[in-house]
Amino acid sequence: IYDISSSKDDNLDDIYIILGGPQASLTAKETINNFSCVDMIMIGEGEQNILFVVESILSNSLENLKSIPNLVYRNKGRIFFTDRDTTMIDVDSIQPIEPIFLDKFIVKDKIDSYPVDVGRGCPFACTFCCTSKFWNRKFRLKSNDNIIKEILYIKSNYDINTFAFKHDLFTVNKDLIVDFCEKLKESNANIEWGCSARIDTIDEELIDIMIDAGCKSIYFGIETGSQRMQKTINKNINLKEA
């Protein structure tokens, strides 16, 4: 806790601005010090805390925020840092978007591919990437059954056949991806999908299996064509293999 000089009046009748995500999390102190319009920063994953934060704001009870971990916020000319909790949530506990929101925002003709949150984190430690710090290098995938269940729901209810799997590195565990592809084929989903991968987490056998299950695109982050720079940024991709 420390005092600040700020021209902003801490009045909850004003619009309350909350930031989150990798950049805001990694530069929380600098951001809230330099931008008086920012009232709060939620560090790390926010699903567990967002409801309590909103309830505290709506009830005009900022004092209650002290018990919520992973927050940086301003109140009455002071900045508060709450306790840090690096526990990662179970990604399977995150529920799909409710139909009431999907019905409002899905416009089929304007969607090239529907984004599916299939997991989080990356076990690698490239120096330029915030992912390793933000997710504490903890790699997590949702269960294959839950991913396919969401895909089938979206396809059945919104007639969408193309999906983009949102994950920094979908192909870390080959056995899991093979199992996913087998189950996806068994489901008769008949979809097209794309994902992200590293060239050192994939091989021709796996690519063939993925293609057979509807994979149409894979994003590879090569970053640099210099083997020396590959080492410098701790990417360590073999460029001949790339």
Side-chain angles (χ1 to χ4, degrees):
I1 306 173
Y2 57 90
D3 293 327
I4 58 172
S5 57
S6 172
S7 59
K8 180 178 174 64
D9 179 21
D10 295 301
N11 184 344
L12 292 188
D13 291 334
D14 296 335
I15 294 174
Y16 203 84
I17 297 178
I18 304 175
L19 299 186
Q23 179 178 339
S25 293
L26 298 175
T27 62
K29 183 177 180 180
E30 295 84 353
T31 300
I32 205 162
N33 274 329
N34 286 282
F35 298 94
S36 61
C37 61
V38 177
D39 298 292
M40 179 188 296
I41 295 171
M42 300 186 68
I43 298 173
E45 296 177 313
E47 286 92 351
Q48 291 176 310
N49 295 332
I50 185 64
L51 179 60
F52 302 110
V53 166
V54 172
E55 286 176 341
S56 296
I57 293 171
L58 293 179
S59 63
N60 201 14
S61 303
L62 293 191
E63 293 298 317
N64 295 337
L65 295 175
K66 292 180 180 179
S67 62
I68 303 175
N70 302 331
L71 301 182
V72 181
Y73 65 97
R74 64 177 80 244
N75 185 23
K76 298 179 180 177
R78 306 173 77 189
I79 290 180
F80 296 82
F81 288 75
T82 64
D83 293 338
R84 187 78 172 98
D85 182 1
T86 59
T87 304
M88 298 283 103
I89 67 175
D90 176 7
V91 289
D92 274 316
S93 70
I94 303 172
Q95 297 300 311
I97 300 174
E98 292 287 343
I100 188 173
F101 296 109
L102 291 173
D103 292 343
K104 183 175 182 180
F105 293 111
I106 285 186
V107 181
K108 183 179 182 300
D109 293 339
K110 296 183 179 180
I111 293 181
D112 293 326
S113 59
Y114 182 85
V116 180
D117 178 14
V118 296
R120 297 174 179 177
C122 175
F124 293 89
C126 302
T127 58
F128 59 86
C129 182
C130 64
T131 292
S132 60
K133 291 185 179 294
F134 188 71
W135 306 118
N136 297 319
R137 294 184 68 181
K138 293 182 179 179
F139 172 82
R140 293 161 292 161
L141 280 178
K142 290 183 178 179
S143 72
N144 290 331
D145 289 339
N146 279 346
I147 296 172
I148 293 171
K149 180 180 178 181
E150 182 173 356
I151 289 171
L152 293 175
Y153 178 84
I154 296 298
K155 177 181 172 67
S156 173
N157 288 275
Y158 301 97
D159 194 27
I160 292 175
N161 297 299
T162 305
F163 295 81
F165 296 166
K166 299 302 179 181
H167 194 296
D168 289 282
L169 183 51
F170 184 55
T171 56
V172 169
N173 187 319
K174 182 176 180 178
D175 290 340
L176 278 179
I177 303 306
V178 170
D179 178 71
F180 169 78
C181 291
E182 290 175 350
K183 288 182 175 179
L184 187 61
K185 287 185 62 180
E186 291 171 1
S187 73
N188 294 315
N190 294 319
I191 63 164
E192 296 182 356
W193 54 277
C195 65
S196 294
R198 282 176 56 116
I199 64 167
D200 50 4
T201 64
I202 203 166
D203 54 32
E204 290 189 30
E205 179 189 20
L206 183 57
I207 289 175
D208 287 340
I209 292 171
M210 293 165 66
I211 290 173
D212 193 42
C215 181
K216 294 295 183 180
S217 65
I218 303 174
Y219 175 88
F220 292 105
I222 306 300
E223 320 306 343
T224 174
S226 162
Q227 201 66 63
R228 178 183 64 84
M229 286 302 298
Q230 284 288 335
K231 184 176 181 179
T232 298
I233 64 177
N234 203 35
K235 182 85 177 183
N236 297 317
I237 289 293
N238 184 309
L239 292 175
K240 291 182 178 180
E241 291 181 7

